[in-house]
Amino acid sequence: MERRLERRDFIKRAALGAAGAATACGGGPDATVSMQAGSVVTGPEVSWRLVTSYPRSLDILNGSPEYVAERVAALTDGRFSIRVFPAGEIVPALQVMDAVQQGTVQAGFTADYYYVGKHPAFALSTGVPFGLDSRQHVAWHYEGGGLELVRSLFRDFGIIVFPCSLTGAQWGGWFRRPVESLSDLRGLRMRIPGIGGEIMLRLGVAVQVLAGGDIYPALERGVIDATEWVGPYDDEKLGFYSVAPNYYYPGWWEPGVTSSLQVSLNAWNELPEQYRQALASACREAAFITLARYDVQNPKALSRLIHEHGVQLHRFSDEILEAAWRESNEYLEEQAAANADFRRVYESWKAYRDEVFPFFAGNELAYASFAFPKIAG
Amino acid sequence: MERRLERRDFIKRAALGAAGAATACGGGPDATVSMQAGSVVTGPEVSWRLVTSYPRSLDILNGSPEYVAERVAALTDGRFSIRVFPAGEIVPALQVMDAVQQGTVQAGFTADYYYVGKHPAFALSTGVPFGLDSRQHVAWHYEGGGLELVRSLFRDFGIIVFPCSLTGAQWGGWFRRPVESLSDLRGLRMRIPGIGGEIMLRLGVAVQVLAGGDIYPALERGVIDATEWVGPYDDEKLGFYSVAPNYYYPGWWEPGVTSSLQVSLNAWNELPEQYRQALASACREAAFITLARYDVQNPKALSRLIHEHGVQLHRFSDEILEAAWRESNEYLEEQAAANADFRRVYESWKAYRDEVFPFFAGNELAYASFAFPKIAG
């Protein structure tokens, strides 16, 4: 409701904007009145184009840059405007960072780990297997030095990043038949990209990488046996449940995915300071609100999946989780040994993980494990 | 680090401010240059006083309104300034809401549940025993209709509230001797205010209410046997560990305390729209950042308490947790039966709790309970 009010206020203010701008520098007693009713920002009109890696149908995820645009407009009396283009409208989903680097657009909303080919340590900006949950990732980014380290890597690419979307723990994906043991995983054809795919490969999975729109047909035709995506609200839309109704958790390879606004440093440097502050605020707000939207919509979607679509929930077995834990940690250590930049970011990240996990294993976990199961699903 | 940069930028900008303001409406080519380098906001100078319920020593909690003030200044080119006064400097800790209602100050940072004497449903704005955790509380407030309901109650008091601080799950407190069973609780003299105290009373505890500064002397002199406060980082400063070294978790009566900025509606209505937007953004950012600060500092503090101060950690027994769960739910139902406003807010809150708890009991809890204990504390 608050968001709707803000949007309405913004439309009202935009209508007043022209009048306000005309009189703001006009002097005389009426000028002050106009300024209070209308615009108090007199900076230059700035218009940006922002491309995203996601289709419009992922409305919470793609809603993050839309929300950033709304907040920036509200904080600058509409003088700094950002137009959002979903995946494919200007550039393909996985070329967002290139478009920002090349100056095709001023900003992009994407996951930094899509670009590990440019730098392996970008993975740590988004999240890695058995990594920090969303709340812990925010703490490391903002108060544990993580964002500063990540930004030092992006500077060489002419980009400054702002975390602006949290999904919570993603889910373990959809399997045609139950997988109980490591031997069930061996040879299984699963769509899973990124580092999660790397770990699954080490567990014997025949890893496939397919774009979102190609997954369902591949499942239906029997080309793959399993796939992962995001979580109940997003997964429901792609209909995997009708072919692969065994839904696994936890999504140990993506326990707290953080997506970023990647901004061209050239464009950033041209902004008035107040517009920069507005953009920084808007991104922090968007991270906060995106997670809230998932946390309201995911429970409803999961309930529909179970009660209307006959989905079976399964927890991954300890055998699978233990093997994945070992392989994931080994993988990260290997990356750190191979790349000094990776090691520098990883050491900060790992130091925080090793402090915060045992802390959360106490109070927070004791509360969660007593209270949450008290209400039957 | 980002925060320090922002503060430095703000000082630099404040120094430029006078020059910027002088030329912003002067016309000619230089005016545009000055506007870009300096101030782009030409609204009225607004100065607010903000009182808090906390001493300066609680630097994360009291840091929330300080952060709000910094962000509001950054977002308005310093034209909207807020000066923060800790508890006792203008009004006593628990008279913050009165000071806002009476117009003594424009805003106050406090916990809405301190004022259940004015309206019992204010408790649900802050958090109740066995309630939502911090992440869930944000979701209910912003995307589940909770904040709208809470604001409808505060409107009658001439106030609009903005959630702006999250603590995570608070801790169960400090006990001179271990308490294992309900019989150990009976007759125990414990400092615990609010609804937590109400539930402890029902469990047979001799409940005491003492202000922060009076707790340690009462413990030391043997006037009380136990006390609760916030969590490791804040509790360490008060030194309870030296007298009552048994530290219990989880803090089931405060699993996700949310503090508020209470703003006088008269003052709010006088603000230019852009300043209102700045304040709303700043509060969402402050909630986000406060939790990150706790999540970085609490693990370090807990480690000091254990390794340097010999503190013994204990999980409350199932016997105590089960009895507290029953009493807490009964208490909330009684409140709902007795007050129609309480019922209206409670029904929204409970509907969300009953959806989100089983959801978190799946994926999120499965990840947490496998991964967090993997690292030894």
Side-chain angles (χ1 to χ4, degrees), chain A residues 128-131 182 185-186 195-205 252-253 318-336 342 346 349 353, chain B residues 370 374:
Chain A
V128 294
F130 289 106
L182 286 168
L185 282 184
R186 269 177 222 119
I195 303 182
E198 180 66 33
I199 307 303
M200 281 295 196
L201 192 68
R202 291 171 183 221
L203 297 179
V205 170
W252 48 264
W253 53 91
D318 281 336
E319 181 187 345
I320 290 175
L321 290 176
E322 292 290 350
W325 167 264
R326 281 193 305 275
E327 293 292 347
S328 297
N329 284 293
E330 277 179 32
Y331 173 86
L332 294 174
E333 293 288 341
E334 287 167 22
Q335 296 291 311
F342 190 100
Y346 173 69
W349 176 90
R353 186 184 74 163
Chain B
F370 179 83
K374 278 286 182 190

Side-chain angles (χ1 to χ4, degrees), chain A residues 47-348:
Chain A
S47 295
W48 277 14
R49 296 194 306 169
L50 184 162
V51 292
T52 90
S53 291
Y54 310 101
R56 206 182 294 274
S57 61
L58 294 181
D59 59 345
I60 296 181
L61 201 53
N62 223 39
S64 163
E66 298 280 3
Y67 187 80
V68 168
E70 275 178 40
R71 293 306 303 152
V72 163
L75 290 166
T76 62
D77 276 336
R79 299 185 76 82
F80 180 12
S81 65
I82 299 174
R83 187 161 166 212
V84 177
F85 297 89
E89 291 199 3
I90 295 181
V91 296
L94 300 184
Q95 292 175 26
V96 165
M97 183 170 165
D98 305 80
V100 177
Q101 274 183 276
Q102 291 156 15
T104 310
V105 294
Q106 289 84 5
F109 174 68
T110 188
D112 297 337
Y113 70 2
Y114 292 152
Y115 311 97
V116 289
K118 294 176 190 280
H119 199 303
F122 288 169
L124 292 160
S125 175
T126 309
V128 294
F130 289 106
L132 305 171
D133 74 11
S134 284
R135 182 173 143 187
Q136 296 161 352
H137 204 81
V138 168
W140 175 64
H141 258 158
Y142 278 99
E143 295 289 323
L147 185 54
E148 192 186 355
L149 287 166
V150 166
R151 283 182 174 169
S152 72
L153 304 175
F154 273 95
R155 205 170 292 134
D156 294 340
F157 297 83
I159 285 174
I160 178 171
V161 291
F162 296 85
C164 69
S165 148
L166 308 170
T167 60
Q170 296 199 6
W171 281 61
W174 301 88
F175 294 74
R176 198 182 294 274
R177 281 173 294 278
V179 287
E180 283 307 307
S181 64
L182 286 168
S183 65
D184 291 337
L185 282 184
R186 269 177 222 119
L188 189 88
R189 298 163 303 168
M190 181 174 183
R191 180 267 176 194
I192 173 170
I195 303 182
E198 180 66 33
I199 307 303
M200 281 295 196
L201 192 68
R202 291 171 183 221
L203 297 179
V205 170
V207 168
Q208 317 276 317
V209 179
L210 299 169
D214 300 331
I215 304 173
Y216 183 85
L219 259 185
E220 198 179 29
R221 293 201 322 274
V223 175
I224 55 173
D225 309 304
T227 185
E228 62 84 55
W229 187 239
V230 180
Y233 181 73
D234 292 332
D235 293 11
E236 183 187 25
K237 294 175 183 172
L238 298 187
F240 305 134
Y241 55 81
S242 64
V243 186
N246 297 286
Y247 199 19
Y248 274 74
Y249 65 89
W252 48 264
W253 53 91
E254 299 188 315
V257 169
T258 303
S259 300
S260 291
L261 194 71
Q262 298 181 343
V263 173
S264 154
L265 270 173
N266 288 340
W268 174 255
N269 288 333
E270 287 172 10
L271 287 180
E273 174 64 17
Q274 195 266 346
Y275 294 12
R276 290 184 201 169
Q277 297 289 347
L279 189 62
S281 286
C283 288
R284 283 188 285 264
E285 290 180 81
F288 185 79
I289 290 297
T290 304
L291 186 57
R293 290 178 181 172
Y294 272 119
D295 285 342
V296 165
Q297 295 304 327
N298 269 330
K300 295 182 199 297
L302 185 65
S303 178
R304 287 191 298 269
L305 287 168
I306 295 170
H307 300 296
E308 297 172 22
H309 299 300
V311 165
Q312 299 291 314
L313 296 192
H314 307 262
R315 178 184 174 277
F316 278 121
S317 66
D318 281 336
E319 181 187 345
I320 290 175
L321 290 176
E322 292 290 350
W325 167 264
R326 281 193 305 275
E327 293 292 347
S328 297
N329 284 293
E330 277 179 32
Y331 173 86
L332 294 174
E333 293 288 341
E334 287 167 22
Q335 296 291 311
N339 184 292
D341 280 339
F342 190 100
R343 187 164 62 250
R344 197 161 46 90
V345 184
Y346 173 69
E347 281 175 355
S348 161

